[in-house]
Every structure is written in C-alpha cells, then in structure tokens.
Amino acid sequence: MKRIVQFVVLGTVLGVILSALFIAVPWFPTEGSQQSKNNYPLFIAITYVSFVIFAVVIVAMGYSLWKFRQRGPSDLRDGSPTHGNTLLEIVWTSIPVVIVVFFGVWAAKVLDDNEAHASNGRVVTVIGYSFGFSYRYNTDGGFTRNDGLYLPVGESVTLHMITPLFTPGTKNLEVIHGFWVPEWGVKQDATPGVIGKTVGTTYVKPTRVGTYQVQCTELCGSGHGQMFFKNIHVMTPSAFESWLTKAKAEAAKEAEASKANPGLAVFNDSGCGGCHTLAAAKATGKTGPPLDDVSADFARAKAQGKTSATDLAGFYKESIADPNKYIAKGYAPGVMPNGFADNLSPKQFDALIAFLTKGAKG
Ligand code: CUA
C-alpha cells in the first residue's frame, strides 16, 4: 500500500512536470474566438490528466522492471500467483469513471457555450466546392462573395455549410469539404446533400481583428492541397459596416451588369472565379491559370501542336470543352473539370466565350 502511494505521488509530480513542459510548446494557434477560449482550458486539463496517468504507469512499470529483474542466468524464480483484489478493482474502475464523467460534463458545457448565439444574429452560408469557398450573406440581402469571409469582431455568427449539388459548372457530383479556421477553434464539414440547417452548422464569435487562413480538412480531390486561403477577415465593427455597405452596392451593380453582360453571368454562375483570376469579373482564384492574358499559352499550345484553334476565341472554346488537351504552363493536368461545356446551353457557352475573349488582353 505504501508503495502504491509512492508510485502515485512520484507519478503525479512527473506527470505535472511533463505536462508543463508539453504546454510550454506553443502548439495552439493564437486564440481568435470565444470558441477557442472555451476549448483551450479543456485541452490543457486533459493534457495534465493524461500525463499524470501516463507517468504513474511508467513509474510503476519502471520500478517493477528494476525490482523484479532476472539476477543472473540461473535466476528462474517466478512471482507467487495472485487472485482477485476487490478493493483494487473497485478503485481502478471508479477512477476512470470519475475522469470520464468529469470531462464529459465539462465538454458538454464547452459545446453548449460554443453554440451560444443570438437566434436573430447574422447568418452566413459557407459554400464549399472543388476547390474553394464562397460566402453567402443570408441576413444581409443574400449576396455572395468569392473573395473571402468578412466578419465584425465580437459578434456571434451562424455558419451553415453546404456544397452545391454539382461542382460549379460541371456534371461532376460535388464532394465533401471541411471548413477550418485554426484560430477560431471550430471546424465543420460541408457535406453533399446536407442542407446545413442543423448538422452542418457551426458558430463563431471572433474576438481578434486580423486576417486568418481557412483550410479544407477533407481529402477532396486533386485541388485539396491548394484549398487554403488567407482571406478570413475579422474587422472592427465600423470597418465591417463600411465594407458591408460597399459589398451591397457592388452586389447590386453586379446584378445589373449580369443582366447587361450574359457572359459575365455565366462566368459567375459557373464558379469560374473560384479557380481563375480575371479582372473583368473581379475574380481572384489561384487554382487555375489567370485568364486576363492567355495569348502566351495560346502561342505555346500552337508551338506544341496541342491546339487546332486559329484564334483566341477558338482556344478558349477548346480549353473549356477539352481542358486536358493543353495544360497551361505551371499547372497540373486534371484540375480543370471536364464537362463545363456540356453543362451550358450553346447560347450560354457562346456568351461566355465572347466575354472571355473581350476580357483578355491578348
Ligand atoms: Cu476541399 Cu479538401
């Protein structure tokens, strides 16, 4: 009994030292939300308990290895057989029960706090697609931004995760993506078929102004490795208000422009801007080649005999209808999905080509 007390005391001391050393390493990202503020103490408490249990076991095991070692080749003694020890069994069952219940209750409280939000608060739908995120400001008029998520500091926001049914502009069924901002301490999957009202929902109350990175956490295809964007902007309330006013005005202007410019509408509706940069569409995607000037690629494709197009319009047509015929310099094959052209009516396709050709400086 005295020995067991010694193991526990020594193990606890060692466990606390190991935990303190472990926690001294800055594993965690900067605390950027009420959610991560709720999570971190729980993580740290679990670390302490785990290291103490680990150290008690290691101390007892180390002592036994040393104490009951074989003393020379002729030492063939065996320990005396033991039978059950009721007290010991009660103790080693009740300690884990207490630990599990304690952390279970604490974790449930953290989860509950993390989901605390005003039911009439701001709601944003996060659209995860191959390979990007768009943000629809449901409670601010329903406009959609492809250039990142903008939020005011100190205000709880509801984030619904969805995927489009198909990868924008293709006949390919969309796949799962994960929305994760490490500083916020929350992660939520956007799952095809899940509308996002209950299961696909997460909440965040940003507490620190700054620009953060969102990262996709589900292996979603060839573009997964590029599916991270440093475009999560947490702003002061006044900066956010002026951004919102500007964003609403831009959205209204864009809606007008789409009416007047059907090619731009097709470009936006097909999600081209998620992967491509094009000034004429205010698109800033980085997964695929920029579309402002494709004349160098057109020349290269001609030199390599990989295009039969005679002009830029033809080159655009071919690149959309058969994206793997010529791969732009510096990009991987198979990233641009097949089937964009099949998914558009001939009229839409022509409007898109006209728009791209006009937008290009080539
Ligand atoms: Cu989207 Cu990984």
Side-chain angles (χ1 to χ4, degrees), residues 44-196:
I44 288 170
I46 291 175
T47 302
Y48 271 96
V49 170
S50 306
F51 266 116
V52 166
I53 293 171
F54 170 77
V56 169
V57 170
I58 288 296
V59 166
M61 201 172 74
Y63 172 80
S64 306
L65 281 172
W66 169 78
K67 175 80 177 169
F68 304 111
R69 69 193 184 282
Q70 192 184 29
R71 291 157 207 256
S74 59
D75 182 4
L76 297 174
R77 286 173 304 151
D78 208 350
S80 47
T82 58
H83 291 281
N85 183 325
T86 311
L87 178 67
L88 192 62
E89 287 187 25
I90 289 172
V91 170
W92 81 37
T93 306
S94 45
I95 291 177
V97 167
V98 169
I99 293 173
V100 168
V101 169
F102 174 73
F103 281 117
V105 170
W106 188 352
K109 179 159 181 342
V110 165
L111 196 58
D112 197 49
D113 290 348
N114 282 359
E115 299 193 343
H117 63 284
S119 55
N120 61 349
R122 176 164 279 115
V123 178
V124 176
T125 296
V126 178
I127 305 151
Y129 60 90
S130 304
F131 298 97
F133 294 103
S134 303
Y135 305 93
R136 189 166 67 223
Y137 285 75
N138 296 353
T139 43
D140 296 293
F143 65 88
T144 301
R145 299 291 294 202
N146 298 318
D147 64 339
L149 177 62
Y150 296 77
L151 291 177
V153 72
E155 187 192 295
S156 185
V157 180
T158 301
L159 300 172
H160 292 312
M161 307 289 152
I162 64 164
T163 65
L165 183 56
F166 293 94
T167 307
T170 77
K171 287 179 178 170
N172 302 330
L173 276 175
E174 194 44 84
V175 296
I176 190 169
H177 301 280
F179 175 89
W180 182 43
V181 179
E183 287 84 354
W184 284 353
V186 292
K187 175 200 157 298
Q188 184 66 52
D189 282 346
T191 312
V194 172
I195 302 304

Side-chain angles (χ1 to χ4, degrees), residues 300-309 315 318 324-327:
R300 222 173 279 125
K302 271 198 287 198
Q304 294 173 9
K306 285 186 179 161
T307 179
S308 47
F315 182 57
E318 213 175 62
N324 290 314
K325 189 167 177 185
Y326 167 78
I327 302 296

Side-chain angles (χ1 to χ4, degrees), residues 131 176-177 216-220 224 227:
F131 298 97
I176 190 169
H177 301 280
C216 177
T217 53
E218 299 293 349
L219 193 55
C220 53
H224 169 69
M227 202 169 159

Side-chain angles (χ1 to χ4, degrees), residues 24 28 33 35 42 62 78 127 146 226 248 252 257 280 337 345 347:
F28 291 134
S33 76
Q35 280 70 12
L42 181 59
D78 208 350
I127 305 151
N146 298 318
Q226 277 89 50
K248 280 179 179 170
S345 72
K347 209 174 132 195

